[in-house]
Amino acid sequence: YLGSGEYFMDVYMGTPPKHFSLIIDTGSDLIWTQCYPCLDCYNQSGPIFAPNASSTYRPLSCKHPQCEHVYSPEPSAPCKSPPHPCRYTYSYGDYSHTIGDLATETFTLGVSNTRDRYRIPDIVFGCGHSNQGSFRGSGGLLGLGKGPLSFPSQLDRRFGKKFSYCLVGRDTNVSANSVLTFGEDQGLVRHPQVQYTKFLTHTYVSTFYYLDIAKVSVGGEVIPIPLSAWTIDAQGRGGTIIDSGTTLTYFVAPAYKLISQAFASKVSYTKVNGSTWSLDNCYNVSGLTQVQFPTISITFVDGAVFTPPVENYMIQMDSDWLTYCLAILEAPHETLTILGNYLQQNMHVLYDLEEHKLGFAPMDCSTSMDY
């Protein structure tokens, strides 16, 4: 409802616990919040975290082992003896960033089947004093990546190396909550349409969840995308990741151009300029009672097929339902293909790091997930 294109997790931090809404992001590791003193911060919905108001806040020194997992904003400065703090800087693909002090704090989470709260002490997080970028309205970010500082990695001794989520659709009533589960998810295991695909191991980047695409189809037609579009080169560039913290889906240029052309060739509606929304394939459907767009499906190397419903890749761009745009763009700077959260709406998605695989199945995420 904050209009950021992101999904948020309700977290209670500190003692006494205070409420914060953090962006869930499988494309990064660091957990952080905006912190006093806030030297250069964006507008946040709700209060900023105040370390002095919590009895369980503990700053980490630059000699702490966890400090080795972050970059220093002053790399040439020597690490002095404690209590010299662990200063960090952390940046994102869209040039957003956070700079602050690494610390530990008690996190309190709601347990899904009761009204109890679950207290987790000594979670390592970033107390961000300088934060700018695409974090609109949030209190910060909850890293759900594969690296050692991520929330799942810090919880694995308690819940195992698994977590899952079901992201409610953008048109769902704002009172409906998405579900985020740490540990075993029997609901998805029992789902009659669940599919699994293996994660790729990437020695250059430990954070991302890489997937291995074999082909993409539009309207039932396999697009002749060169295999090089899906590979990771010797410098660690390229490949495909699934990312809850990116809104739209981005394909690298060789794949995007062919997908975009194939999609446009199968749509008979009037094409309109989508530059106002920074989108390419936009269509006017005024006067039509029924609207249909070609299907899009992604087949992975091990045979799993991801075929999202049309509302996961077509965005209605005006209140009169006259313009629809394809929620897929070309990846900037020839980076990598990203399957964003818009594509994942109403999908039950499991990240299983014990068996190194992703599970997914269609689901109305606004309803109970018992099967």
Side-chain angles (χ1 to χ4, degrees):
Y1 69 93
L2 293 174
S4 66
E6 304 287 3
Y7 286 84
F8 296 80
M9 177 177 172
D10 288 325
V11 173
Y12 290 81
M13 292 178 55
T15 305
K18 303 292 185 182
H19 172 261
F20 300 91
S21 290
L22 307 183
I23 295 168
I24 62 167
D25 184 18
T26 58
S28 67
D29 294 326
L30 184 67
I31 308 160
W32 62 269
T33 61
Q34 295 208 109
C35 261
Y36 285 123
C38 228
L39 307 177
D40 181 25
C41 293
Y42 58 87
N43 291 329
Q44 175 177 330
S45 176
I48 292 173
F49 181 75
N52 293 340
S54 171
S55 63
T56 46
Y57 177 85
R58 298 288 185 272
L60 297 183
S61 83
C62 57
K63 294 185 181 295
H64 194 282
Q66 293 286 37
C67 196
E68 298 176 0
H69 301 306
V70 292
Y71 292 104
S72 170
E74 302 167 344
S76 60
C79 177
K80 300 177 183 178
S81 298
H84 187 65
C86 174
R87 296 276 293 160
Y88 76 86
T89 179
Y90 201 94
S91 59
Y92 300 86
D94 62 356
Y95 305 108
S96 301
H97 72 268
T98 173
I99 300 172
D101 298 317
L102 213 60
T104 63
E105 185 55 280
T106 295
F107 279 54
T108 305
L109 308 180
V111 178
S112 59
N113 58 355
T114 72
R115 292 186 179 276
D116 296 334
R117 298 290 179 182
Y118 191 89
R119 286 170 55 83
I120 308 172
D122 302 323
I123 294 293
V124 177
F125 82 111
C127 186
H129 304 302
S130 176
N131 322 289
Q132 290 297 331
S134 54
F135 311 118
R136 180 176 172 179
S138 73
L141 191 144
L142 190 86
L144 297 176
K146 292 169 62 179
L149 288 178
S150 76
F151 202 61
S153 294
Q154 294 193 58
L155 295 183
D156 63 6
R157 291 184 179 180
R158 295 177 174 89
F159 303 114
K161 297 182 178 181
K162 299 178 183 180
F163 71 94
S164 61
Y165 55 64
C166 199
L167 305 179
V168 296
R170 298 304 175 99
D171 297 327
T172 305
N173 189 295
V174 293
S175 63
N177 289 325
S178 303
V179 175
L180 176 60
T181 302
F182 294 98
E184 191 69 49
D185 194 328
Q186 290 297 325
L188 186 58
V189 171
R190 294 194 299 267
H191 195 292
Q193 294 173 270
V194 65
Q195 299 181 74
Y196 296 96
T197 185
K198 287 288 187 179
F199 291 125
L200 281 175
T201 300
H202 190 341
T203 56
Y204 286 89
V205 182
S206 62
T207 297
F208 296 150
Y209 297 97
Y210 282 91
L211 303 175
D212 199 358
I213 292 179
K215 60 186 177 181
V216 175
S217 301
V218 176
E221 175 189 353
V222 176
I223 309 304
I225 299 169
L227 291 179
S228 59
W230 313 125
T231 58
I232 303 169
D233 67 20
Q235 287 71 45
R237 295 173 303 211
T240 301
I241 66 170
I242 181 169
D243 183 10
S244 66
T246 297
T247 303
L248 302 182
T249 287
Y250 295 86
F251 283 94
V252 291
Y256 174 76
K257 286 180 171 61
L258 293 172
I259 293 170
S260 178
Q261 291 169 4
F263 189 86
S265 71
K266 296 178 183 298
V267 177
S268 59
Y269 310 131
T270 302
K271 193 169 185 178
V272 296
N273 188 339
S275 60
T276 302
W277 307 290
S278 300
L279 295 171
D280 297 335
N281 288 279
C282 295
Y283 303 92
N284 183 288
V285 296
S286 59
L288 301 176
T289 55
Q290 287 188 325
V291 178
Q292 289 186 321
F293 289 99
T295 58
I296 294 178
S297 65
I298 300 169
T299 302
F300 299 101
V301 167
D302 44 19
V305 182
F306 180 70
T307 305
V310 67
E311 58 267 24
N312 284 27
Y313 56 87
M314 295 302 297
I315 302 178
Q316 178 262 322
M317 300 305 300
D318 48 47
S319 58
D320 296 326
W321 295 84
L322 299 181
T323 304
Y324 284 84
C325 294
L326 183 65
I328 296 174
L329 287 171
E330 180 179 327
H333 315 302
E334 287 292 323
T335 50
L336 73 171
T337 293
I338 304 174
L339 308 183
N341 65 44
Y342 203 90
L343 199 69
Q344 301 174 54
Q345 297 174 91
N346 287 317
M347 299 294 295
H348 197 163
V349 183
L350 167 71
Y351 295 74
D352 186 339
L353 293 176
E354 291 180 346
E355 299 189 22
H356 304 285
K357 65 183 181 180
L358 182 85
F360 58 90
M363 178 65 192
D364 180 354
C365 297
S366 64
T367 65
S368 170
M369 293 199 299
D370 292 329
Y371 303 101

